[in-house]
Amino acid sequence: MNSKQTILVSLGIVILNNLIGHFFAPYGIILTPIVVSILAILICLKNKGLNPILKSLILTSLIAIHDIGIKLFAGGQHDYEGLGFIHGILFIGLIPTFIILITSIVKDKESSILNKIIAILLFPLIIYLHLELFGELGIGRYYWYGWNG
């Protein structure tokens, strides 16, 4: 698969998991660590043509899209307890994702050390900014046909 196909497949996985989260709550949230790890494998390990900075940017963008989708459209009551659960599950998934990203960046022989350092630092910075901007997104939403715990 080339880079464009890999990115489209990754986006499809994000959309599919958000649909699962909407119609079959709470499975979309519970699958988040698996989904973000698969995204990391597809973007970081299956794309040899992307530079490290672009890998980091694409991966964080897909994770942000997934997180926004889960926070807005996952079934059930959207309260602070659920938000804590979503963030906890997200961080469980971010650990192997970051390790996969670092591994792929370190193994890249064509990029400069500066680009590698920038790419590694971009990931936690963008995730932090995303959580600062969208940390409480979706609080108060309610879907009557979802799982209510």
Side-chain angles (χ1 to χ4, degrees):
M1 268 193 296
N2 63 23
S3 297
K4 194 178 290 187
Q5 291 171 334
T6 307
I7 293 168
L8 287 175
V9 167
S10 300
L11 187 59
I13 291 170
V14 167
I15 292 168
L16 177 66
N17 194 56
N18 281 324
L19 288 172
I20 290 170
H22 183 70
F23 292 109
F24 304 106
Y27 297 113
I29 298 168
I30 293 169
L31 291 174
T32 295
I34 297 167
V35 169
V36 295
S37 296
I38 290 171
L39 294 176
I41 290 168
L42 288 173
I43 298 300
C44 298
L45 301 179
K46 299 295 181 186
N47 277 325
K48 303 297 182 198
L50 292 177
N51 67 25
I53 295 174
L54 200 53
K55 284 181 185 180
S56 187
L57 290 173
I58 292 170
L59 184 58
T60 53
S61 298
L62 288 167
I63 291 170
I65 291 168
H66 179 268
D67 187 55
I68 288 170
I70 288 293
K71 286 177 180 173
L72 288 179
F73 301 114
Q77 291 178 320
H78 292 230
D79 54 7
Y80 284 101
E81 182 180 357
L83 183 66
F85 181 67
I86 290 171
H87 283 167
I89 295 293
L90 177 65
F91 280 110
I92 290 170
L94 288 176
I95 293 167
T97 300
F98 193 46
I99 292 169
I100 292 168
L101 177 68
I102 290 172
T103 303
S104 74
I105 289 172
V106 169
K107 286 184 178 181
D108 189 358
K109 304 282 188 231
E110 299 171 6
S111 297
S112 68
I113 298 293
L114 181 63
N115 281 346
K116 291 179 181 182
I117 292 171
I118 291 170
I120 290 171
L121 293 177
L122 267 178
F123 184 84
L125 177 68
I126 294 173
I127 294 296
Y128 171 77
L129 289 174
H130 165 74
L131 291 175
E132 277 294 314
L133 294 172
F134 301 106
E136 295 184 2
L137 184 68
I139 293 296
R141 293 182 66 97
Y142 176 76
Y143 294 102
W144 60 272
Y145 51 85
W147 179 75
N148 291 321

